[in-house]
Each structure stands twice: as structure tokens, then as C-alpha cells.
Amino acid sequence: MSSGGGKGAAAKGGGGKGGGGGKKKEVKKETKLGMAYKKDDNFGEWYSEVVVNSEMIEYYDISGCYILRPWAMEIWELLKEFFDAEIKKLKLKPYYFPLFVTENVLQKEKDHIEGFAPEVAWVTKSGKSDLEAPIAIRPTSETVMYPYFSKWIRSHRDLPLRCNQWCNVVRWEFSNPTPFIRSREFLWQEGHTAFATKEEADEEVLQILELYRRIYEEFLAVPVSKGRKSEMEKFAGGLYTTSVEAFIPNTGRGIQGATSHCLGQNFAKMFDITYENEKGAREMVWQNSWAYTTRSIGVMVMTHGDDKGLVLPPRVAPIQVIVIPVPYKDADTTAIKGACESAAYTLNESGFRADLDTRENYSPGWKYSHWEMKGVPLRIEIGPKDLANKQVRVVRRDNGAKVDIPVANLVEEVKVLLDEIQANLLKTAKEKRDACVEVIHTWDEFTTALNNKRLILAPWCDEEEVEKDVKARTKGDLGAAKTLCTPFDQPELPEGTLCFASGKPAKKWSFWGRSY
């Protein structure tokens, strides 16, 4: 896994060509009005332009690191507000563990650290002096936390232990840095829990996965598939991994949205996390870990953005409604400005996130383009005619539709429009995603679908060697194909169905494709 889809194995290739250790020079772009690139013509350049011009990020002087500006951080905070409230209902407690971890602790869980080894950044000096032993910066926090779980958990009365932290992590090695999607430092939440039984752990894995689905579908309006990762793609050192998987039609790539893992008892063995049960015998705990990251913002940008810039779902838009005065020559500018102030005040008092753009050094047309670039869901225009008719003109960002609304009905109508926009964005994205799904049965069908940028649903024998073989046979400039997940929502598998890649009896349907 790379930076952002949640916890997972180390970043693998396939993101495109480019220098891992800063070999690929990133182009810093100056903010300007209007877009130089079109989404369908040059997706990579379009995406870079959107996230900079919309004032979400600024490029930093260390490759793969980015400044998150308020337009991005406010979206992250809205997602955080929802998720934090939900996990507190599950009795999760907030913690903060240190950023650093010693080498001997990190090396303790062999499979786990091998999965992250290429990505771990090390501190080796303090000033000009070499440290006695290098200190790692956390790529994830299992090995940071679990020595202390061992200390805190003594009896069955100490269980379950359920903690979460909101923090940053660093994963240094990868081939193709992309803002939000693959960055060397990123923000996330990471939940870590310990239970007396596997049944409790299994139940929580799915509870959290459902919250991740809600983040993507209900807030970001991005359709996702819930499923289980293959043994090859699961979290290093864990028992099994579940995920929500999105798909970007323009690039034909899947993208891991978030992951929820059952770690089993592997870490409990390594870190001696045991408890005394009701009968006085010692038992090992069952553990989970789960995370989603600022990658979610990038997935949203890729899904909804258009040739004018960002398109934000209302539930996560820092500003849901922007009010712009449109004074014509000889118009009563004072009265128009007053009407705009009144509209913004009324909407804010009613619980909407509304703002007013009264800058006099920009034309109304420039302001329209500016706020379209930033993806604000609704624009309200008030000119002399609107003032005379006691109405406002409302323009939707998602489809450009314009409607005149009586001032008296402003709050009710705005609520209806924002709800429509939220629903329409998910519906449109789902239609585009579904149009890319291709059910195949043979290797020839698979390679054709892959080259056509499809999300492939294929019957599979569920053997690791076969997945390795598929990756080897599809390796190329665009990256190899792999399993994305085995969806929980399984189509019927008729008896006698054969694996598309091996010809052996198929055991399940799995999503395959290239990925970020």
C-alpha cells in the first residue's frame, strides 16, 4: 500500500515511471485563473493544476511533500468531525504516540517491517553527532504502540482496549509522487484495538469498513466496493485485510480508499500481549488496526473535477454557497451589497456554510471563474433586476443549471439544491464507474479489458502463484495488473467456472486492474 489508502503493505510499482529518490523533478505551478489542461486530454497535468489552482495544496521544496492549504484542511476537518464522533460511539479513546520508534522495536515483527522496509525514513544524526542507534520515523504505529498494550493489558477486565490517533506518518520510497494520492508525509487516523475473542475483532473490522464506505459515498460522493484483499495484497503481518476500493475512469486505475485489518494474534505473540481470563489462565488478545488518510481528498478531486477545476460535494465543501454582487452601470450598489450581505447572513444563520465576495478589484465574471475553480457547489448572484424582483439567481457548480429563487424561499430552496447536488454527484460517478466494469472469463478478454482501462471482474482460483503470474505477464510501462479486492457482494459463480488466468476451478469473483 502506498500513502493514503489506509494501512497496507509497502508501496509497489505501477504508478508510472519516475524517480523514487527525488530523481523525477516536480514542476511547481504558479496559481492562475483558468485551466491549461483538460481532464480527458492530459489527466496527470490536469490533476496537478486543479489541486494547485483551487488553492488546496502548494508544492514544497522536498519532492513528495506538500503544503495542505485551508481549502484542503477544512475538508479533512469535516471528514474528521464525522468519523471521530462515530468511533467515539464505539468507545474508542483518543491517544497520541510518539513519532519515533527504535530500530530494535521496529525489527521485532519481521513480516510487518519487511512490508514497510523500503519506505522507512531514519534519523541518524543529532546536529553533527551520529546517534548511537538510528531512530525510525513511524510509517505506521503497530510497533510503536504494542509494547505498551502489553503493559496496559493484564486481565480480561482491561479488554477491549480501543484507541485511535490522528497524526502524520512518513513513507519515503515510491516512484511517482502525486499530491494527496502518493505523498511522503500524509495525515491519517489510525485505530488500534485489542479484544478477548476473534468474533469481537471480526465484528469491528466490518463496522469500521462501513464507516469508511460512508465517508466515501455519503460525504465525498465517491462510489466504492467493499471487499477483502488477497493474501498477497493484505497488510504485512496481519491475518486478513478488508478495504473500500474506488476506481478512476479517466486513468482506468483502481485506488484503495481505506483499509480495516484483522491482525489476528501475530502481534500479540511478538509483543507478549496477553490477559488473564475469567478462569485464571493466560490467553493472547486478538487485534485490529484500521486507517483512512488525506488520500480520500485526492480521490474526490479525481472523481468529480472537470475542465473548470474542482467540483465539491456540498457535505464537504468549506463554502457551500458563495454570494456575488453583480452591479451594472448606475445600479444602486449599496442596496445590492446590502441584499448580498442579508442573503449570506440568512444562510449562515440557517446552518449553511455561506460566504460573500465583495472584492471590488475583480469583475463578477472573474469571481465566477475563481469560485468555479474552487468547486463551490452553489453561486448566488444579485443584480439590479434581482433586487427589483426580490429574488436571487442561483447557479449550480455540478451542471451549470441556473434558477431564480424568491428571497423569501431562499433557505428552503438552497437546502433542496444542495441535497440534489450531493445526490447527483454520487449518481453520476456511480454511472461512470459502472460503465467501466467488465466481466471477463478468459485471458484474452482480460488483456483487452485491461488495455481499455476497465475495472475487471474475473473468476479466480484464489492462488497466490497465479496472482504473481498475472502481475509478471502484465508488467509494462503502465504498471502491472493485480487484484484490487474480492467484493463481499459476490455474483453467482456457476459450477464448472474456470479461473481466467490458470484454467483451474474458480473459487470466487475478484476485481482486477491497474492501481495507484
Side-chain angles (χ1 to χ4, degrees), residues 35 55 60 87 104 125 147 153 162 185 193 230 233 264 274 282 307 344-345 367 378 384 391 422 439 471-472 507 511:
M35 298 282 293
E55 300 173 333
Y60 193 58
I87 60 174
N104 63 323
K125 282 182 178 286
I153 296 170
R162 311 178 89 171
E185 179 189 2
T193 53
S230 69
E233 292 293 326
T274 61
R282 296 218 64 83
D307 291 343
Y345 176 81
K367 292 177 186 178
L378 279 183
Q391 67 182 31
Q422 185 78 32
V439 180
K471 289 182 97 164
K507 293 180 181 174
F511 280 121

Side-chain angles (χ1 to χ4, degrees), residues 114 379 455:
E114 276 183 6
R379 178 173 83 238
L455 174 57

Side-chain angles (χ1 to χ4, degrees), residues 53-290:
N53 289 9
S54 65
E55 300 173 333
M56 294 187 104
I57 68 118
E58 187 64 73
Y59 280 90
Y60 193 58
D61 62 359
I62 296 173
S63 174
C65 296
Y66 308 95
I67 298 163
L68 299 188
R69 300 180 69 181
W71 206 243
M73 285 303 297
E74 287 173 70
I75 293 171
W76 183 240
E77 285 174 359
L78 287 163
L79 295 177
K80 179 178 177 181
E81 189 180 306
F82 160 73
F83 190 77
D84 219 31
E86 291 297 321
I87 60 174
K88 280 173 180 167
K89 290 178 192 172
L90 298 175
K91 303 287 193 286
L92 265 288
K93 297 294 183 187
Y95 284 73
Y96 185 80
F97 285 79
L99 175 69
F100 302 112
V101 56
T102 59
E103 186 174 19
N104 63 323
V105 171
L106 194 64
Q107 300 290 358
K108 200 165 186 177
E109 212 296 313
K110 187 171 173 290
D111 290 343
H112 175 66
I113 191 52
E114 276 183 6
F116 284 100
E119 299 181 317
V120 177
W122 295 91
V123 179
T124 57
K125 282 182 178 286
S126 169
K128 293 185 177 178
S129 307
D130 290 338
L131 297 181
E132 276 185 37
I135 296 171
I137 300 173
R138 61 177 171 223
T140 176
S141 295
E142 281 76 7
T143 55
V144 178
M145 295 179 172
Y146 296 169
Y148 301 91
F149 279 28
S150 174
K151 184 178 178 181
W152 299 335
I153 296 170
R154 286 281 175 262
S155 153
H156 63 89
R157 296 180 190 87
D158 300 322
L159 293 172
L161 189 154
R162 311 178 89 171
C163 74
N164 180 72
Q165 68 172 2
W166 294 90
C167 65
N168 64 338
V169 288
V170 172
R171 297 184 185 173
W172 202 258
E173 180 59 42
F174 51 75
S175 61
N176 196 30
T178 305
F180 298 117
I181 303 298
R182 293 172 77 86
S183 54
R184 286 184 166 155
E185 179 189 2
F186 55 92
L187 302 180
W188 72 352
Q189 60 71 216
E190 52 176 325
H192 294 264
T193 53
F195 299 92
T197 66
K198 182 174 184 290
E199 288 72 26
E200 292 171 282
D202 288 338
E203 181 184 14
E204 187 202 61
V205 165
L206 296 181
Q207 284 176 323
I208 298 298
L209 195 68
E210 173 59 12
L211 291 180
Y212 291 152
R213 183 202 64 79
R214 290 184 62 193
I215 282 172
Y216 275 93
E217 297 196 340
E218 295 179 14
F219 285 80
L220 299 171
V222 173
V224 290
S225 302
K226 292 199 293 187
R228 183 162 167 160
K229 288 290 198 184
S230 69
E231 285 297 299
M232 197 169 155
E233 292 293 326
K234 75 177 184 182
F235 183 54
L239 182 61
Y240 65 86
T241 291
T242 67
S243 67
V244 290
E245 300 283 336
F247 185 77
I248 310 300
N250 290 76
T251 60
R253 291 185 185 275
I255 186 160
Q256 184 171 286
T259 46
S260 181
H261 315 282
C262 179
L263 301 179
Q265 295 181 309
N266 196 18
F267 288 93
K269 286 176 194 165
M270 294 293 166
F271 292 93
D272 191 29
I273 310 173
T274 61
Y275 68 98
E276 189 177 277
N277 67 19
E278 291 91 334
K279 296 174 182 173
R282 296 218 64 83
E283 289 191 44
M284 281 187 295
V285 299
W286 291 84
Q287 289 175 264
N288 292 339
S289 70
W290 29 270

Side-chain angles (χ1 to χ4, degrees), residues 195-420:
F195 299 92
T197 66
K198 182 174 184 290
E199 288 72 26
E200 292 171 282
D202 288 338
E203 181 184 14
E204 187 202 61
V205 165
L206 296 181
Q207 284 176 323
I208 298 298
L209 195 68
E210 173 59 12
L211 291 180
Y212 291 152
R213 183 202 64 79
R214 290 184 62 193
I215 282 172
Y216 275 93
E217 297 196 340
E218 295 179 14
F219 285 80
L220 299 171
V222 173
V224 290
S225 302
K226 292 199 293 187
R228 183 162 167 160
K229 288 290 198 184
S230 69
E231 285 297 299
M232 197 169 155
E233 292 293 326
K234 75 177 184 182
F235 183 54
L239 182 61
Y240 65 86
T241 291
T242 67
S243 67
V244 290
E245 300 283 336
F247 185 77
I248 310 300
N250 290 76
T251 60
R253 291 185 185 275
I255 186 160
Q256 184 171 286
T259 46
S260 181
H261 315 282
C262 179
L263 301 179
Q265 295 181 309
N266 196 18
F267 288 93
K269 286 176 194 165
M270 294 293 166
F271 292 93
D272 191 29
I273 310 173
T274 61
Y275 68 98
E276 189 177 277
N277 67 19
E278 291 91 334
K279 296 174 182 173
R282 296 218 64 83
E283 289 191 44
M284 281 187 295
V285 299
W286 291 84
Q287 289 175 264
N288 292 339
S289 70
W290 29 270
Y292 84 98
T293 80
T294 39
R295 164 179 277 200
S296 53
I297 298 172
V299 177
M300 174 199 70
V301 174
M302 288 180 164
T303 301
H304 304 305
D306 62 19
D307 291 343
K308 291 181 179 180
L310 272 186
V311 179
L312 292 178
R315 289 192 78 173
V316 295
I319 297 173
Q320 295 170 314
V321 186
I322 186 70
V323 184
I324 298 175
V326 190
Y328 294 106
K329 196 178 177 185
D330 301 328
D332 186 345
T333 53
T334 304
I336 290 171
K337 189 179 175 186
C340 289
E341 288 171 349
S342 174
Y345 176 81
T346 300
L347 290 170
N348 279 310
E349 285 295 296
S350 301
F352 299 104
R353 295 186 291 277
D355 205 355
L356 184 63
D357 189 345
T358 55
R359 293 176 291 176
E360 292 177 0
N361 55 329
Y362 293 109
S363 70
W366 189 97
K367 292 177 186 178
Y368 299 165
S369 295
H370 173 76
W371 293 108
E372 283 174 347
M373 173 75 74
K374 291 178 76 70
V376 172
L378 279 183
R379 178 173 83 238
I380 287 180
E381 306 165 8
I382 302 179
K385 183 183 168 189
D386 304 301
L387 199 62
N389 294 334
K390 295 183 179 175
Q391 67 182 31
V392 300
R393 163 139 312 175
V394 182
V395 184
R396 286 172 58 154
R397 176 65 181 90
D398 62 331
N399 61 13
K402 299 178 181 181
V403 61
D404 294 327
I405 293 175
V407 171
N409 301 347
L410 183 65
V411 170
E412 296 82 357
E413 295 286 348
V414 163
K415 182 182 186 312
V416 168
L417 283 170
L418 290 175
D419 287 347
E420 281 181 8

